[in-house]
Amino acid sequence: MSIDSGLEKTRGGFLARLFGRTQEPEVTEEWLERLEEALLRADLSVSLVDPVMLQVRDVVREGRAKTVPTVLDAVTDALVQVLVTEERRQGGTPRVILVVGVNGSGKTTTAAKLAKRLKDEGARPLLAAADTFRAAAIEQLERWAQRVDVPIVSGRPDGDPAAVVFDAITAAKARGHDVVIADTAGRLHTKGHLMDELGKIVRVAGRAREGAPDEVLLVLDGTQGQNAIVQAREFTKAANVTGLVVTKLDGTAKGGAVFAIANDLRLPVLWLGVGERPNDLVPMDPRAFVTAMFERGREGRPAGRPVRTSDERP
Amino acid sequence: MFEQLESRLTTTFAKLRGRPRVTDADLEEALRDVRVALLEADVSFKVVRSLVATVRERAVGAQVVRSVTGAQQVVKIVHDALVEMLGSEAVPIARAERPPTVIVIVGLQGSGKTTSAAKLANLLRKQGRKPVLVAADIHRPAAVEQLEALGRQLQLPVRRVVDPARDAARIVAEPGGDTVIVDTAGRLHIDEAMMAEVEGIVAATKPHDVLLVVDAMAGQDAVDAASAFHARLPITGLVLAKVDSDARGGASLSVRAATGIPVKLMGTGEKLDSIEVFHPDRLAQRILGMGDVVTLVEKAQEVVDQKEAEEQAKKMLEARFTLDDFYTQLQQVKKMGPLGDLMKMIPGMGQLAAQIPTGPETERELKKVEAIVSSMTRAERADLTILNGSRRKRIARGSGTTVSDVNHLVKQFEEMRKLMKQLGPALRYHGPLRR
């Protein structure tokens, strides 16, 4: 990750600097410490933060950047660059989306919200309740399916999840659904047999429709820390993850662990979960995501940026 | 959990110990390593900052620089600071003098409240109590059904509510058991309406324990979230959930350091008996690579017949150990849990355990061994020399393996026995079992 490209761009804004930024605060050692704190407190990996801070300190020492907004813009740009990655999804009909992740990350809710969003966009989604392990997980998705008015194919408790996915894809073909969203059981990436089971679900999906699944969405709990990186690596190994969903960003957590994931695995963050209502799943906007990291934290916020008030939750 | 933090710190300390005298630069390097190790383990930024400052201050005060025992002193200073962070004594779950004891479980969404509530009920029943579960999460779809399903599995009563505060209070008044465990809805600490709801439940039920469930994989926000809960509710203990992940668990431990709330329990697996009382002192030792012999011995005592174990150890050292004994031991070890977890508790084995494959392959390998041994007759197990070609073929067929698998196992076992014979006298006096 390099902050130089960001600096290049900012330097070009001659007029802006002449008129708008004459009163800009200078970077101080204290501000640099607060910047580092903001990054670390957002759960950015220390392996990313340390080199960034080294670069920032170099740039400031060499006089290439002097003011808070210049440095902050450069850091923001560098972070945004990390998040900009290519989409990996394949195409096929019905499109098959597998929702995977560790326990409690928000898979079921995400599956339902995604179904709602696709339906609103004019698609004809079908939900598949393939979490046959956790008590009442099927009922939970069924309630959601009712709420967002999307049909559902459910498994039996303790049934074979791969069979549920197979049935759902077959049903989608027969009934003319163009997308299947399958919710799977939460599993810790450390449980070999459960990861094997996930591999089986993927293989069986491919048997129901050549090339399926088209998307494997890994749902990451935004309040989690560095373990998210290990999760992404292990789930990618077992199920070839194509994109990330970061949930629970309506609290004070910032989900900064995804930077290391995007950096190491080149996985795109596609969706953000920002609440409990059906519409609270929004597409990823890298710049807004990075900016929010600096803005939302009350204590970790570096000086020189206004506190957002209008749309901030209490 | 925790093992990677352990291996990071062990490397740092090994580097430091290699120096004849600690210089200022060495100390700073060690402190940098400690900082990175803790941050990578999700220890709260603030806790890391104060811990590093404390260590530096004490190291300077103790004049470790240029001292011959400087490295040792630094290790001790870090150890003490960690122990202070973790707390020392285990804190038990409350028990009211006049029943019922009331326990309210709170936490963020998806942290593991419902599962923890059921596991806690199961644990308390084993201790002779009569728990009653209250499904007070009326917000998440099917949360009530989830707790009811778990209650059915455990054959424990689960009571429903309509108005959480009012109805929970009514159940407390007429519980039908001696311990009432209230599972509440997951909520964000900044969600005013939801926080008011849980305040209402606590006010109405006057709990003896309010347990905050914290995800072992939580990040930097954990301390802020926990502090916000603590500001509104009289939190008396923490439950670390999902400790069976490979998270380094720093955030959940920081909560103890930042708020002073003790960790009481930890959830260690998907099964309903996968819950353990938390022993902070043992954990500090494990993190620092000193092993956790106490837990290991306890685990062994749960499943191993003491007399039988002694007899086997004796046999082993005298090389009278047969495959039959080996098979019995294998069964006992299996009862104690995954091999990798056990290895980590042995002093000095933490590092080694990381190198030993403990994943599904090892478990498969062990299963193969088990299949081969169980396909042998008693006579064969007692005396491997009678294994001729046709016997080996039969064993391979019976166990679904190949003759070369059988040969391999026999050879390995013979070598192990030879090794034991050589090491026997030494092990008897300085063995790992002596403390």
Side-chain angles (χ1 to χ4, degrees):
Chain A
M1 192 161 72
S2 159
I3 70 158
D4 276 337
S5 58
L7 269 181
E8 287 302 322
K9 221 172 80 194
T10 328
R11 207 172 283 141
F14 172 73
L15 283 178
R17 201 168 309 174
L18 195 62
F19 294 110
R21 291 183 168 177
T22 43
Q23 297 300 313
E24 285 168 357
E26 297 242 327
V27 171
T28 60
E29 181 51 39
E30 192 207 347
W31 184 84
L32 286 172
E33 276 173 24
R34 275 151 74 194
L35 173 67
E36 181 184 14
E37 176 172 348
L39 295 172
L40 288 172
R41 287 180 60 137
D43 286 318
L44 251 86
S45 307
V46 65
S47 60
L48 285 180
V49 173
D50 280 357
V52 165
M53 288 310 297
L54 272 180
Q55 289 182 62
V56 168
R57 282 173 201 279
D58 276 352
V59 157
V60 170
R61 189 171 346 99
E62 291 160 12
R64 288 195 282 146
K66 289 201 177 82
T67 67
V68 165
T70 326
V71 172
L72 207 49
D73 283 349
V75 174
T76 304
D77 277 353
L79 289 172
V80 168
Q81 282 315 309
V82 174
L83 291 179
V84 176
T85 45
E86 272 173 48
E87 285 216 21
R88 292 188 177 183
R89 103 167 113 104
Q90 316 176 11
T93 316
R95 185 171 142 207
V96 177
I97 305 175
L98 218 54
V99 182
V100 304
V102 299
N103 314 60
S105 55
K107 286 172 300 302
T108 305
T109 312
T110 297
K113 289 178 188 169
L114 187 60
K116 161 93 165 63
R117 186 166 261 278
L118 294 175
K119 195 188 84 167
D120 291 348
E121 286 169 3
R124 295 197 60 221
L126 177 69
L127 279 164
D131 178 357
T132 53
F133 177 77
R134 202 197 75 206
I138 296 167
E139 286 92 325
Q140 187 183 349
L141 190 64
E142 282 176 347
R143 298 275 174 81
W144 265 105
Q146 224 167 23
R147 201 154 141 192
V148 300
D149 191 23
V150 168
I152 180 168
V153 171
S154 299
R156 264 175 299 107
D158 296 322
D160 176 9
V164 181
V165 174
F166 187 93
D167 288 349
I169 297 172
T170 315
K173 280 189 204 160
R175 300 183 212 160
H177 290 282
D178 49 14
V179 52
V180 175
I181 303 164
D183 178 30
T184 62
R187 64 198 79 229
L188 288 180
H189 51 287
T190 47
K191 311 269 170 177
H193 62 290
L194 294 178
M195 296 309 274
D196 289 347
E197 179 193 86
L198 193 58
K200 182 185 163 196
I201 296 176
V202 170
R203 284 195 305 278
V204 171
R207 240 173 273 154
R209 204 220 75 211
E210 183 74 35
D214 307 283
E215 283 187 73
V216 178
L217 295 181
L218 173 65
V219 180
L220 294 171
D221 181 335
T223 67
Q224 293 193 341
Q226 303 307 309
N227 193 249
I229 302 158
V230 191
Q231 290 169 29
R233 204 171 292 136
E234 292 302 318
F235 273 93
T236 301
K237 247 188 251 165
N240 204 7
V241 173
T242 59
L244 308 173
V245 182
V246 187
T247 61
K248 305 184 196 176
L249 292 175
D250 45 335
T252 46
K254 293 158 198 84
V258 294
F259 287 96
I261 299 175
N263 199 48
D264 298 353
L265 302 174
R266 309 307 304 161
L267 279 173
V269 182
L270 300 173
W271 303 98
L272 306 178
V274 293
E276 294 181 319
R277 291 161 304 169
N279 283 326
D280 290 336
L281 184 74
V282 299
M284 173 66 167
D285 172 349
R287 188 159 295 274
F289 185 82
V290 172
T291 315
M293 270 182 13
F294 295 122
E295 287 180 348
R296 269 192 312 206
R298 272 155 298 197
E299 284 177 304
R301 185 176 58 89
R305 283 274 163 161
V307 181
R308 199 164 53 162
T309 47
S310 57
D311 56 345
E312 195 180 36
R313 288 176 64 119
Chain B
M1 194 164 87
F2 311 121
E3 40 274 2
Q4 273 157 313
L5 178 57
E6 170 193 332
S7 76
R8 277 301 295 257
L9 290 178
T10 314
T11 317
T12 302
F13 294 151
K15 225 177 352 180
L16 204 58
R17 284 196 180 104
R19 306 283 153 81
R21 278 164 204 272
V22 179
T23 65
D24 281 317
D26 292 338
L27 179 62
E28 281 311 311
E29 194 192 341
L31 286 175
R32 261 201 308 277
D33 286 351
V34 168
R35 170 184 166 275
V36 170
L38 294 175
L39 283 172
E40 282 183 347
D42 292 316
V43 175
S44 151
F45 177 82
K46 278 187 186 163
V47 173
V48 174
R49 196 165 51 184
S50 82
L51 194 133
V52 170
T54 307
V55 172
R56 181 182 284 119
E57 193 183 305
R58 289 184 191 167
V60 170
Q63 297 182 313
V64 298
V65 172
R66 281 183 297 280
S67 151
V68 190
T69 56
Q72 286 301 338
Q73 286 178 44
V74 174
V75 174
K76 181 162 186 331
I77 290 168
V78 174
H79 172 260
D80 292 350
L82 263 181
V83 170
E84 281 165 31
M85 175 175 114
L86 294 168
S88 49
E89 302 270 291
V91 185
I93 292 293
R95 180 164 214 158
E97 275 182 33
R98 222 176 305 151
T101 305
V102 180
I103 301 168
V104 174
I105 314 256
V106 301
L108 297 169
Q109 290 100 332
S111 52
K113 286 173 300 304
T114 305
T115 309
S116 296
K119 285 179 177 176
L120 174 60
N122 192 25
L123 181 75
L124 292 180
R125 182 175 54 185
K126 278 192 208 159
Q127 296 172 0
R129 298 211 216 174
K130 288 175 81 182
V132 176
L133 286 157
V134 179
D137 178 0
I138 55 170
H139 297 278
R140 180 165 62 91
V144 174
E145 286 84 344
Q146 186 185 350
L147 191 62
E148 282 178 342
L150 296 172
R152 268 197 304 278
Q153 282 177 41
L154 293 171
Q155 295 178 309
L156 281 172
V158 177
R159 309 274 295 269
R160 285 193 178 219
V161 302
V162 177
D163 174 329
R166 188 197 63 202
D167 296 344
R170 215 162 44 200
I171 293 164
V172 168
E174 269 179 68
D178 59 15
T179 306
V180 179
I181 301 171
V182 184
D183 177 32
T184 65
R187 64 202 74 227
L188 283 170
H189 50 288
I190 53 169
D191 188 330
E192 184 49 43
M194 291 294 283
M195 289 304 281
E197 183 203 76
V198 72
E199 270 180 334
I201 296 174
V202 166
T205 56
K206 300 188 183 58
H208 304 88
D209 248 330
V210 181
L211 301 179
L212 177 70
V213 180
V214 182
D215 190 326
M217 296 177 280
Q220 292 286 327
D221 197 46
V223 168
D224 288 344
S227 304
F229 270 99
H230 196 36
R232 303 282 296 258
L233 303 166
I235 309 285
T236 55
L238 304 172
V239 180
L240 299 191
K242 307 175 205 173
V243 171
D244 48 331
S245 69
D246 52 358
R248 297 172 214 182
S252 48
L253 301 176
S254 308
V255 173
R256 157 69 179 73
T259 62
I261 306 168
V263 181
K264 291 196 169 183
L265 299 165
M266 51 186 193
T268 55
E270 305 236 342
K271 292 189 190 128
L272 288 173
D273 56 3
S274 303
I275 190 163
E276 286 175 20
V277 173
F278 182 78
H279 293 280
D281 42 346
R282 300 183 193 176
L283 182 65
Q285 295 194 336
R286 213 192 294 187
I287 288 181
L288 290 165
M290 297 172 182
D292 181 1
V293 177
V294 188
T295 304
L296 185 67
V297 170
E298 278 179 4
K299 274 201 176 227
Q301 278 169 348
E302 274 175 33
V303 296
V304 177
D305 180 346
Q306 186 68 28
K307 249 185 163 166
E308 195 184 339
E310 275 169 19
E311 176 57 28
Q312 285 197 353
K314 227 173 104 193
K315 271 183 166 177
M316 201 160 171
L317 297 177
E318 289 164 7
R320 286 194 289 118
F321 192 64
T322 66
L323 255 187
D324 209 19
D325 301 320
F326 175 68
Y327 185 71
T328 317
Q329 272 196 349
L330 200 62
Q331 297 305 321
Q332 286 174 343
V333 170
K334 261 176 64 187
K335 271 191 264 172
M336 285 167 65
L339 205 56
D341 290 1
L342 299 179
M343 299 279 292
K344 282 166 211 147
M345 293 176 200
I346 303 172
M349 290 292 264
Q351 289 273 59
L352 198 63
Q355 293 160 20
I356 293 174
T358 51
E361 296 98 58
T362 313
E363 300 291 331
R364 264 200 285 276
E365 200 62 34
L366 273 178
K367 262 196 196 133
K368 210 191 231 177
V369 170
E370 207 185 321
I372 293 175
V373 177
S374 56
S375 293
M376 293 180 180
T377 64
R378 286 221 141 213
E380 285 165 348
R381 284 185 216 165
D383 181 11
L384 290 174
T385 55
I386 64 170
L387 284 181
N388 56 23
S390 87
R391 279 178 188 263
R392 285 176 198 235
K393 235 186 262 170
R394 192 207 75 240
I395 292 164
R397 255 204 321 275
S399 56
T401 58
T402 62
V403 174
S404 89
D405 284 333
V406 177
N407 292 343
H408 187 63
L409 175 71
V410 170
K411 202 167 151 217
Q412 269 190 329
F413 184 76
E414 292 291 0
E415 267 165 26
M416 181 178 110
R417 204 154 55 170
K418 235 182 276 166
L419 191 72
M420 280 298 157
K421 203 169 185 175
Q422 287 163 7
L423 289 179
L427 278 177
R428 227 168 301 164
Y429 298 106
H430 311 288
L433 294 173
R434 276 178 74 102
R435 282 255 280 161

